[in-house]
């Protein structure tokens, strides 16, 4: 592909990213000191396990919906067969949500944007998943420290999604072809920003992403054993489709 073609791909992915994030970086920046009061934190901590899980599942599904929209706008994604589009989203959407979380992390007070304000890990106590929450916060903190630009974030998240090694793919070669262009787009952007060293650091973070998603699925299995009806009747259908083992 010509460098013009790669430029076009970068531009289109960056536009798709901007169109599919609920908050602009400057909006998140302006909100960064809007933290929950002690009373508000106490109210979250007083929720029952199943209530808090349901609340978070809804919030997570909102963020995932934007990632589904982002995927559909990545050049070449819609040309993949339906099965492969779903397989890539099933295995990659949570990873993209977690990467995007780094844009809404405040490293100065270790808080993340949730439900309209910035929350620390203690707010999620009633989930009974402190290890998962701690790992999600650590990941967001580390990635936030890399200070990715929106363009770098956009192309990196496209690369996280377009992965030919995912399970249950029918046409791997086709996925690899689409991935090739996204890889070139990321190298092009990092070269232009004179930050080639970031590529290695970003690839180093991918295994942590996988372990985070595996931990999330493990916790969901644990929760579903305790509260089958909550998952069955109160969890968003998309959440169950993407993260439920059925
Ligand atoms: C993403 C694009 S954006 O426009 O920048 C944007 C768009 C939306 C938001 C707000 C937002 O959705 N924050 C949020 C959502 C869910 C969760 C969360 C809650 C619980 C769990 C545990 C599990 C048992 C359900 C997990 C996990 N794993 C994740 C979190 C945070 F991780 F902090 F707890 C924050 C922030 C920026």
């Amino acid at each position: 592909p010509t460098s013009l073609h790669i430029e076009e791909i970068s531009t289109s992915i960056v536009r798709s990213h901007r169109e599919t994030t609920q908050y602009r970086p400057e909006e998140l920046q302006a909100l960064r000191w809007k933290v929950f009061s002690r009373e508000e934190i106490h109210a979250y901590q007083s929720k029952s396990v199943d209530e808090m899980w349901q609340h978070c599942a809804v919030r997570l599904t909102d963020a995932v919906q934007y990632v589904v929209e982002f995927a559909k706008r990545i050049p070449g994604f819609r040309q993949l067969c339906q099965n492969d589009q779903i397989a890539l989203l099933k295995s990659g959407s949570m990873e993209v949500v977690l990467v995007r979380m780094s844009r809404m992390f405040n490293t100065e007070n270790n808080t993340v944007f949730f439900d309209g304000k910035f929350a620390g890990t203690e707010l999620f106590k009633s989930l009974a998943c402190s290890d998962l929450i701690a790992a999600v916060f650590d990941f967001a903190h580390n990635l936030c420290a890399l200070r990715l630009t929106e363009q770098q974030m956009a192309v990196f998240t496209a690369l996280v999604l377009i992965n030919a090694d995912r399970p249950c793919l029918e046409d791997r070669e086709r996925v690899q072809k689409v991935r090739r262009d996204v890889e070139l787009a990321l190298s092009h952007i990092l070269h232009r920003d004179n930050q080639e060293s970031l590529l290695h650091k970003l690839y180093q973070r991918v295994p942590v992403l996988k372990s985070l998603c595996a931990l999330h699925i493990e916790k969901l299995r644990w929760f579903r054993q305790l509260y089958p009806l909550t998952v069955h009747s109160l969890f968003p259908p998309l959440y169950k489709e993407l993260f439920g083992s059925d």
Side-chain angles (χ1 to χ4, degrees):
T2 63
S3 63
L4 178 74
H5 175 59
I6 292 303
E7 281 268 0
E8 280 166 4
I9 290 191
S10 310
T11 311
S12 133
I13 291 174
V14 171
R15 186 187 322 108
S16 307
H17 170 80
R18 206 187 358 265
E19 289 165 354
T20 61
T21 45
Q22 298 110 298
Y23 299 86
R24 312 295 299 280
E26 46 280 359
E27 287 170 304
L28 288 167
Q29 194 66 20
L31 288 165
R32 70 199 264 109
W33 298 108
K34 227 179 137 196
V35 292
F36 285 105
S37 68
R38 255 200 312 284
E39 295 73 27
E40 287 171 318
I41 291 171
H42 182 68
Y44 279 106
Q45 293 175 334
S46 316
K47 283 177 183 279
S48 60
V49 174
D50 57 318
E51 239 181 327
M52 189 59 178
W53 261 83
Q54 190 205 334
H55 187 82
C56 292
V58 168
R59 289 288 165 272
L60 214 43
T61 307
D62 291 347
V64 165
Q65 243 136 2
Y66 281 86
V67 172
V68 172
E69 206 38 53
F70 170 64
K72 286 159 62 178
R73 303 178 193 199
I74 296 172
F77 184 86
R78 292 172 77 118
Q79 278 66 46
L80 299 172
C81 66
Q82 191 79 18
N83 170 78
D84 288 0
Q85 291 182 33
I86 291 167
L88 291 179
L89 281 168
K90 199 163 162 58
S91 51
S93 58
M94 181 66 177
E95 291 185 4
V96 172
V97 166
L98 292 169
V99 170
R100 283 179 161 200
M101 293 245 166
S102 63
R103 322 163 71 234
M104 57 186 179
F105 194 85
N106 181 348
T107 52
E108 280 153 69
N109 58 5
N110 274 340
T111 57
V112 74
F113 194 62
F114 174 80
D115 256 359
K117 289 185 184 171
F118 278 77
T121 53
E122 72 282 356
L123 183 131
F124 301 95
K125 204 168 68 177
S126 53
L127 284 173
C129 295
S130 55
D131 49 347
L132 172 59
I133 289 296
V136 168
F137 272 60
D138 280 352
F139 180 81
H141 193 145
N142 290 330
L143 199 58
C144 191
L146 293 182
R147 314 216 65 69
L148 296 184
T149 64
E150 283 299 282
Q151 302 201 352
Q152 292 166 350
M153 165 85 64
V155 183
F156 178 58
T157 48
L159 209 50
V160 164
L161 268 175
I162 312 291
N163 179 345
D165 301 334
R166 297 294 195 191
C168 321
L169 288 176
E170 283 171 6
D171 189 348
R172 284 184 200 283
E173 294 71 45
R174 194 85 186 275
V175 177
Q176 189 48 42
K177 236 195 242 70
V178 176
R179 181 181 174 85
R180 221 33 231 115
D181 282 353
V182 181
E183 278 169 348
L184 289 172
L186 184 59
S187 315
H188 164 76
I189 281 191
L190 292 180
H191 177 73
R192 188 198 61 193
D193 298 344
N194 204 5
Q195 281 186 294
E196 278 97 338
S197 62
L198 260 184
L199 198 63
H200 171 65
K201 290 184 187 124
L202 287 172
Y203 276 112
Q204 257 183 333
R205 295 282 197 299
V206 172
V208 179
L209 259 183
K210 282 192 185 340
S211 63
L212 266 180
C213 291
L215 189 54
H216 168 236
I217 299 292
E218 189 191 309
K219 295 292 179 186
L220 175 58
R221 274 207 202 98
W222 162 79
F223 177 79
R224 189 209 290 250
Q225 272 182 347
L226 286 178
Y227 301 95
L229 286 184
T230 305
V231 177
H232 179 76
S233 43
L234 295 173
F235 271 35
L238 178 61
Y239 183 96
K240 285 187 280 188
E241 255 169 73
L242 289 174
F243 310 124
S245 35
D246 51 284

